[in-house]
Amino acid sequence: MGPDPAVAAVRLAVRRVLADLPPGAMVLAACSGGADSLALAGALAFEAPRSGRPAGGVTIDHGLQQGSGERADAVVRVMADLGLDPSGSVAVTVNGPGGPENAARDARYAALDDAADRLGAAAVLLGHTMDDQAETVLLGLARGSGARSLSGMPTGFRRGSGVRYVRPLLEVDRATTRRACKAMGLNPWDDPHNVDPVYARVRVRHEALPVLEKTLGPGVAEALARTARMLRDDADCLEELAAQAFTDLEASEDGNEDGNLVVLGLEGLVDLPRAVRTRVLRMAAVKAGSPPGTLAAVHVDAVDRLVTAWHGQRHVDLPGGLRAVRRYGKLLFGPV
């Protein structure tokens, strides 16, 4: 008799990821103790030895709740009992720009980067599910974001010194991870932050998505996740085209010996499809020093009008103390 179907689904997702990693490579599970990451940890503990790879686990103590240290110790014991070796916790200090959620995320990834480097891990597995992906797409849609944001979370990405992060469960729903935990005899911890309506994601999870499911019928989360996959393919293709166009159009400028200007030749830029051209303009602004997190569509649209609807307007101010200026057949991005 085989494993419970939910357990089999989570294990299969992990098995597919492990098959893409180098033989003998160390793999870490990032585990908060919640159902998603706990099911992931259990699946990794089962699959890694069978693929000839060592596997460990790490949990991050954000210190945001009373008793968080004890909770982290309990998660470490569970991971060790599963057979993940080494298993450990890392305490972080959460402070920084962008609000508590962004600060916590930055601190968490910095700690995971360090743990992966210290242990020589080839990959860190994250427990985001199909439901998380659907929530991400809805949040992006509500904010009027572009295709890159609506394409949701990538299956894999790299950070820091090149640590590879992988999300094996993006095609597994949250209910399946809960059933898997129950079948494996694991007791997940429910973070109270996950039901606090002060967070937009929580409101999407507990209010918006249920209404959509009731109104439109079941399968909304799966459809949103599928949309994200398709948009990611489109966004990747457009950004490759934009990167090549940026290389072709970037020009030199007299008096720019210090390299503090990014210059684009207007000839050819105006003929690009808008979807490619606006990406080129964004790349130029970011290369010149405009912070990506605050460079919004309204800024890029204003720069685009310097290219396609120029009537003598002087310049466009950009985040980071920069300015885009049209001058003698070129578009210049640089400090004010």
Side-chain angles (χ1 to χ4, degrees):
M1 182 177 178
D4 180 278
V7 175
V10 178
R11 287 178 178 174
L12 177 60
V14 171
R15 190 182 313 144
R16 287 171 173 165
V17 166
L18 294 180
D20 291 334
L21 298 177
M26 162 69 76
V27 185
L28 295 177
C31 183
S32 67
D36 303 336
S37 61
L38 197 57
L40 176 69
L44 178 62
F46 181 86
E47 293 291 340
R50 288 162 177 76
S51 68
R53 293 173 175 83
V58 59
T59 189
I60 306 301
D61 174 14
H62 297 88
L64 297 177
Q65 300 173 24
Q66 187 173 4
S68 63
E70 290 79 2
R71 167 54 51 190
D73 291 341
V75 174
V76 171
R77 288 193 296 272
V78 171
M79 293 190 296
D81 289 344
L82 286 169
L84 295 176
D85 182 24
S87 290
S89 67
V90 180
V92 298
T93 300
V94 176
N95 56 35
E101 287 182 277
N102 285 332
R105 181 168 56 249
D106 289 344
R108 179 167 61 253
Y109 277 120
L112 290 172
D113 286 347
D114 290 343
D117 288 343
R118 185 176 68 254
L119 297 172
V124 178
L125 307 190
L126 305 175
H128 299 111
T129 65
M130 178 191 299
D131 298 83
D132 295 307
Q133 187 74 297
E135 293 158 13
T136 299
V137 174
L138 275 182
L139 286 168
L141 186 62
R143 292 165 180 161
S145 303
R148 174 54 67 193
S149 180
L150 295 180
S151 64
M153 296 177 287
T155 301
F157 63 100
R158 293 186 183 273
R159 273 180 50 95
S161 60
V163 176
R164 181 179 178 185
Y165 288 87
V166 187
R167 298 181 172 106
L169 305 184
L170 286 182
E171 296 186 10
V172 177
D173 63 23
R174 191 172 291 133
T176 297
T177 65
R178 284 203 166 272
R179 291 196 301 270
C181 284
K182 183 176 181 180
M184 288 188 283
L186 301 173
N187 297 313
W189 172 66
D190 292 319
D191 186 343
H193 284 165
N194 289 336
V195 293
D196 188 344
V198 72
Y199 299 108
R201 182 175 289 273
V202 172
R203 297 194 298 274
V204 167
R205 179 176 303 173
H206 295 289
E207 298 175 30
L209 270 172
V211 168
L212 288 174
E213 292 274 357
K214 181 179 179 180
T215 305
L216 302 176
V220 170
E222 183 178 359
L224 287 169
R226 184 169 60 251
T227 298
R229 288 197 302 273
M230 292 186 290
L231 280 172
R232 180 163 295 279
D233 290 341
D234 293 347
D236 288 345
C237 178
L238 287 169
E239 289 183 8
E240 287 180 12
L241 293 173
Q244 182 59 57
F246 179 83
T247 299
D248 294 341
L249 293 169
E250 190 172 15
S252 60
E253 176 73 3
D254 293 339
N256 189 32
E257 291 80 4
D258 295 334
N260 59 348
L261 293 178
V262 174
V263 184
L264 297 177
L266 284 170
E267 187 177 354
L269 184 61
V270 69
D271 296 325
L272 292 174
R274 174 177 163 78
V276 177
R277 185 176 63 247
T278 53
R279 283 170 167 80
V280 171
L281 298 176
R282 180 178 176 83
M283 289 175 183
V286 170
K287 183 175 180 179
S290 192
T294 53
L295 182 65
V298 64
H299 301 118
V300 177
D301 287 344
V303 177
D304 192 45
R305 286 193 290 273
L306 292 179
V307 179
T308 62
W310 188 60
H311 303 294
Q313 55 265 50
R314 295 177 60 188
H315 60 260
V316 172
D317 290 322
L318 299 171
L322 301 182
R323 184 171 281 175
V325 181
R326 176 170 174 152
R327 181 186 301 159
Y328 304 121
K330 296 177 183 177
L331 198 59
L332 284 65
F333 299 77
V336 176

